[in-house]
Amino acid sequence: MYEVYTDGAVSGNGKEGAPGGWAYVILKDGRLVSQNSGAEIGTTNQRMELTAALKACEEVEALDGFATVKLYSDSAYFIRCFKENWWKNWRANGWKNSKKEPVANQDLWEKLIFFFMKAPGYDFIKVKGHAGNQYNEMVDRLAVAAKESVMNG
């Protein structure tokens, strides 16, 4: 059983050139087995949250095929998309949301959907951000550090 914690961080969310970072940690049977982070310029918080989840899932697949995974995120948007199957409506509606607008980050959503369709052993769990959860706090620090590293060149 794997547990994965993911997070994203952005300064100036949605503004042109906004720096952002993403991070994840992977635990197996309660022991930390991997952590990673990265950054981008000109991004949004949602994009960083999705990137963290995708990168973590790709690593779990590389480590152990399609294992059983509990994926924790403080992004209600990410968790609800899969818990409430928003993605099914988006696809059926030509990648338009309930406001008939294009779904943001379609490229990442499509990769995540494809991944979770072939790896059905995932459970999505919402955690409260900045509430003392050791691993949620850890990925937050890693994502912020990645963001700051790209800000400072």
Side-chain angles (χ1 to χ4, degrees), residues 34-48:
S34 183
Q35 66 184 50
N36 200 357
S37 62
E40 293 180 15
I41 295 288
T43 192
T44 64
N45 196 60
Q46 287 180 356
R47 189 161 186 84
M48 293 294 89

Side-chain angles (χ1 to χ4, degrees), residues 6-7 17 46 49-50 61 99 102 106 108 122-123 132 142-143:
T6 65
D7 202 10
Q46 287 180 356
E49 296 279 0
L50 298 175
E61 180 182 12
K99 296 177 184 176
Q106 178 182 341
L108 293 175
Y122 275 73
D123 187 18
L142 290 167

